[in-house]
Amino acid sequence: MEGLTRDPSDDRGRRLDFDADDMVLRALRPHREEAWREPGKLNDRERQVAVEVARGRSNTEIAQKLYMSVATVKANITRIFAKLGTDNRVQVAIGLL
């Protein structure tokens, strides 16, 4: 399937030579491969927090579920981001796939 983009000069979509989905996946792949190639990269608690992040839970929800303060959740997420070489929750979720 080819990606589509809108040509501002007309109202018809114009086909391009690339698949936008593949471009996104290629851009994220290095983070995923580096992050999850080494299972020991995250400690147990960070792994638990990462799973909850991947489930879409808020920091407050994670804190309640894992019996920790919101500040501790934020600190764990900061360490997870640093260890995985990312800066957003979506890439953490993708890494768990």
Side-chain angles (χ1 to χ4, degrees), residues 11-35:
D11 288 333
R12 295 173 299 174
R14 186 179 65 154
R15 291 197 179 276
L16 299 177
D17 293 333
F18 67 90
D19 183 353
D21 293 338
D22 285 343
M23 286 184 67
V24 170
L25 291 174
R26 275 195 303 260
L28 296 176
R29 189 175 298 132
H31 295 290
R32 179 179 178 186
E33 289 173 0
E34 290 171 22

Side-chain angles (χ1 to χ4, degrees), residues 2-86:
E2 291 182 335
L4 296 176
T5 186
R6 187 164 189 260
D7 183 351
S9 65
D10 65 30
D11 288 333
R12 295 173 299 174
R14 186 179 65 154
R15 291 197 179 276
L16 299 177
D17 293 333
F18 67 90
D19 183 353
D21 293 338
D22 285 343
M23 286 184 67
V24 170
L25 291 174
R26 275 195 303 260
L28 296 176
R29 189 175 298 132
H31 295 290
R32 179 179 178 186
E33 289 173 0
E34 290 171 22
W36 304 104
R37 184 173 37 220
E38 302 174 40
K41 201 162 194 172
L42 299 178
N43 66 36
D44 290 339
R45 203 59 162 162
E46 290 166 345
R47 241 181 254 113
Q48 290 172 340
V49 172
V51 166
E52 297 307 320
V53 166
R55 289 180 175 154
R57 299 198 198 291
S58 69
N59 291 351
T60 302
E61 292 169 330
I62 295 169
Q64 291 170 349
K65 182 164 176 55
L66 298 179
Y67 303 103
M68 61 175 63
S69 70
V70 174
T72 301
V73 171
K74 289 179 182 180
N76 274 283
I77 291 172
T78 299
R79 284 194 305 275
I80 291 165
F81 286 173
K83 288 182 178 183
L84 301 184
T86 188

